[in-house]
Amino acid sequence: MTAYVSAFDLFSIGVGPSSSHTVGPMRAALDFARRLRADPRLPEVARVSCVLYGSLGATGIGHGTPDAVVAGLRGREPETCEPAHVRAAWADFPEGAGLIIAGAHTVPFRKADIEFAPRTRLPGHPNAMTLRVHAADGEVLAEQTYYSIGGGFIRREGESARIAAGGFPLDYTDAASLLALCDERGITIADVARENEMALRSEEEVASGLDAIWDAMAGCVDAGLHADGVLPGILKVKRRAGAIREQLQAIEAEGAREIPGEWLGAFALAVNEENAAGGRVVTAPTNGAAGILPAVAMYWWRFLAGSGLGSGNAVTPYGELVGSALLGFHGDAASAEAHDPASEELVVEANRRRGIRRFLLTATALGSLFKANASISGAEGGCQAEVGSACAMAAGGLTAVMGGTNRQIENAAEIAMEHHLGLTCDPIGGLVQIPCIERNAIAASTAVTAARLALRGDGQHYVSLDAVVETMRQTGLDMSTKYKETSEGGLAVNVIEC
């Protein structure tokens, strides 16, 4: 079984504030509702209930988990629904009013129908939930336990994780076999991901799908940079990305040089503030770490893509600069010859798009290693599994578009992950705000540093990425439960919430 996970599973468009505590439970409730809709006993259902176990029970309210469950039962999909339809769906639900299950059957619903059991941990995963429907006499007509295993992925008890696995032509299980595969075929890490994606979709569909992911990421950055006010929840955290944007624009308007590093931090803050507000976010690979890859990619797009430092030309067959706006990965010589010089802006846009695709594909191939061989779930491995994985993916992606070799890419990912080992997940008040928002900005900076260090070397290094991934897995197993998204340790108990 290959480690590879499709980019369209790893980078899923959804809603904030958490992939494991919002998107996953929403998908679980939606799956349960759809199964009920096909059940002939649906007309007998008089009540629906849900128990949130472990981490879902401990930090569920702060993460909007019960709201997500209600939205999912109503038939909402995280990829397409309006974020406003999820926010406060449970918190503001009229007591005893009718809840329409998947648009097919109405039952009375009370907030107490969702129960929190933070002290009960099911063996399948720390993020567990059981949904039930009851007859009028209390008989349980149907029930199902789901595990939200990180990144928005879910697993029904008794089933394997819902990932588009199998059927990929280029198989690898770890970083060593990934590099060996690249050596054998004379291709890049991004090429491996691209060919695997094309086993499921056409080249044009892969390119347009990656563009849609980037457009959602860029839209999230822009939305966060132009928002203000206070984030929801008891902490009353003030949004800062918009004010920083205004300050940086004022500095630039005065003729001062651009400040790429400060913009990098602003991009990351913007995404995670949008996430904390329950906005439209792309898992990368989770919501809690959603700001790192978009920030680093936007940093490349804005400051490096046209500088000659990050065009990526002469790296892959798909990285050469061309004179036409492309839908796919390959250049068209005829189009290039017929190109009107007046459309230079379109050429720049096309090449940036191609670079972003390479960035995302490289990050996908690397992120798959963390998901397959360790974890991307904060409740399972601590924040090292979320922010650490995202930082490594971003570092590898940036190295790729900066012209790095496969071994420099692997080195960059290793550097980034190594310096997140042991990072705990201890959100204050169970909210994805402190320390999560600033942590994404710091990790974005670390990703850039890791890429630059790797690019200054020849790809040879003492500690392998595989060794770091295994160390992260072991560290997650050893880490106390109170430091794994339960808000029972660390900052969560040492900082007064209000």
Side-chain angles (χ1 to χ4, degrees), residues 15 26 67-68 70-72 74 76-77 80-90 278:
V15 296
M26 189 173 172
D67 301 306
V70 171
R74 283 172 165 166
R76 310 285 190 195
E77 297 180 350
T80 59
C81 75
E82 287 295 326
H85 292 161
V86 182
R87 289 193 288 266
W90 171 81

Side-chain angles (χ1 to χ4, degrees), residues 26-253:
M26 189 173 172
R27 286 179 174 154
L30 175 62
D31 180 81
F32 186 70
R34 285 174 172 169
R35 291 174 183 274
L36 282 178
R37 190 169 184 171
D39 192 321
R41 296 172 296 175
L42 179 61
E44 302 175 42
V45 173
R47 176 174 169 255
V48 60
S49 67
C50 177
V51 182
L52 301 174
Y53 299 104
S55 182
L56 293 184
T59 62
I61 292 180
H63 286 73
T65 306
D67 301 306
V69 170
V70 171
L73 289 172
R74 283 172 165 166
R76 310 285 190 195
E77 297 180 350
E79 297 87 350
T80 59
C81 75
E82 287 295 326
H85 292 161
V86 182
R87 289 193 288 266
W90 171 81
D92 292 346
F93 197 95
E95 197 72 9
L99 173 63
I100 304 175
I101 301 176
H105 182 69
T106 303
V107 297
F109 182 79
R110 295 172 175 79
K111 291 181 185 178
D113 289 330
I114 295 183
E115 179 185 347
F116 301 87
R119 301 294 182 183
T120 303
R121 295 171 64 86
L122 301 191
H125 194 276
N127 293 330
M129 56 187 283
T130 298
L131 289 149
R132 298 183 179 92
V133 287
H134 312 258
D137 61 1
E139 177 191 359
V140 175
L141 299 174
E143 73 172 69
Q144 183 62 59
T145 295
Y146 293 86
Y147 300 103
S148 180
I149 58 177
F153 294 103
I154 62 171
R155 176 169 58 85
R156 285 200 331 148
E157 188 154 65
E159 291 184 348
S160 58
R162 299 190 178 185
I163 303 171
F168 293 123
L170 300 184
D171 183 15
Y172 64 93
T173 57
D174 54 20
S177 59
L178 173 59
L179 291 174
L181 178 64
C182 291
D183 289 344
E184 177 187 340
R185 293 176 172 259
I187 58 178
T188 69
I189 291 173
D191 297 340
V192 171
R194 184 183 69 87
E195 292 193 32
N196 280 341
E197 295 297 340
M198 287 176 59
L200 304 176
R201 300 170 177 84
S202 70
E203 183 175 4
E204 291 74 19
E205 288 172 332
V206 173
S208 63
L210 293 172
D211 287 349
I213 290 170
W214 170 242
D215 288 342
M217 287 180 169
C220 188
V221 171
D222 186 67
L225 288 175
H226 290 85
D228 57 17
V230 175
L231 295 173
I234 61 174
L235 300 180
K236 305 300 180 186
V237 172
K238 185 178 180 180
R239 298 181 73 140
R240 290 177 287 170
I244 294 174
R245 171 189 59 81
E246 292 177 353
Q247 293 169 19
L248 295 178
Q249 288 179 334
I251 292 172
E252 293 173 356

Side-chain angles (χ1 to χ4, degrees), residues 106-441:
T106 303
V107 297
F109 182 79
R110 295 172 175 79
K111 291 181 185 178
D113 289 330
I114 295 183
E115 179 185 347
F116 301 87
R119 301 294 182 183
T120 303
R121 295 171 64 86
L122 301 191
H125 194 276
N127 293 330
M129 56 187 283
T130 298
L131 289 149
R132 298 183 179 92
V133 287
H134 312 258
D137 61 1
E139 177 191 359
V140 175
L141 299 174
E143 73 172 69
Q144 183 62 59
T145 295
Y146 293 86
Y147 300 103
S148 180
I149 58 177
F153 294 103
I154 62 171
R155 176 169 58 85
R156 285 200 331 148
E157 188 154 65
E159 291 184 348
S160 58
R162 299 190 178 185
I163 303 171
F168 293 123
L170 300 184
D171 183 15
Y172 64 93
T173 57
D174 54 20
S177 59
L178 173 59
L179 291 174
L181 178 64
C182 291
D183 289 344
E184 177 187 340
R185 293 176 172 259
I187 58 178
T188 69
I189 291 173
D191 297 340
V192 171
R194 184 183 69 87
E195 292 193 32
N196 280 341
E197 295 297 340
M198 287 176 59
L200 304 176
R201 300 170 177 84
S202 70
E203 183 175 4
E204 291 74 19
E205 288 172 332
V206 173
S208 63
L210 293 172
D211 287 349
I213 290 170
W214 170 242
D215 288 342
M217 287 180 169
C220 188
V221 171
D222 186 67
L225 288 175
H226 290 85
D228 57 17
V230 175
L231 295 173
I234 61 174
L235 300 180
K236 305 300 180 186
V237 172
K238 185 178 180 180
R239 298 181 73 140
R240 290 177 287 170
I244 294 174
R245 171 189 59 81
E246 292 177 353
Q247 293 169 19
L248 295 178
Q249 288 179 334
I251 292 172
E252 293 173 356
E254 293 173 357
R257 66 180 179 85
E258 292 178 325
I259 312 172
E262 294 200 45
W263 275 112
L264 173 68
F267 298 152
L269 291 179
V271 172
N272 284 85
E273 287 175 355
E274 277 297 289
N275 178 62
R280 177 71 64 205
V281 182
V282 180
T283 61
T286 66
N287 280 32
I292 300 164
L293 274 98
V296 174
M298 184 64 75
Y299 168 82
W300 173 81
W301 177 286
R302 175 163 175 176
F303 298 108
L304 302 177
S307 68
L309 297 174
S311 60
N313 50 319
V315 180
T316 78
Y318 319 108
E320 72 278 19
L321 298 180
V322 295
S324 61
L326 303 176
L327 287 176
F329 294 86
H330 300 277
D332 184 308
S335 298
E337 291 176 3
H339 172 65
D340 182 354
S343 62
E344 180 180 350
E345 187 174 332
L346 291 176
V347 177
V348 173
E349 171 74 14
N351 284 313
R352 283 177 172 164
R353 286 275 177 183
R354 287 155 63 83
I356 289 296
R357 293 171 199 150
R358 191 180 316 119
F359 181 102
L360 292 174
L361 288 171
T362 303
T364 298
L366 296 171
S368 298
L369 296 173
F370 293 105
K371 178 150 187 61
N373 298 324
S375 177
I376 59 170
S377 167
E380 191 171 33
C383 197
Q384 59 170 0
E386 296 200 27
V387 164
S389 297
C391 184
M393 293 164 65
L398 180 60
T399 304
V401 296
M402 291 286 285
T405 66
N406 291 328
R407 279 170 174 75
Q408 287 173 323
I409 292 167
E410 185 258 358
N411 187 16
E414 180 276 320
I415 293 170
M417 184 66 242
E418 180 181 338
H419 299 288
H420 282 90
L421 291 174
L423 189 63
T424 61
C425 183
D426 52 355
I428 298 176
L431 299 168
V432 192
Q433 298 178 16
I434 301 174
C436 317
I437 296 172
E438 289 180 352
R439 185 167 287 174
N440 274 251

Side-chain angles (χ1 to χ4, degrees), residues 475-492:
T475 303
L477 291 174
D478 292 340
M479 189 181 292
S480 171
T481 300
K482 69 180 182 180
Y483 296 119
K484 294 192 284 190
E485 209 164 359
T486 58
S487 291
E488 295 177 352
L491 285 175

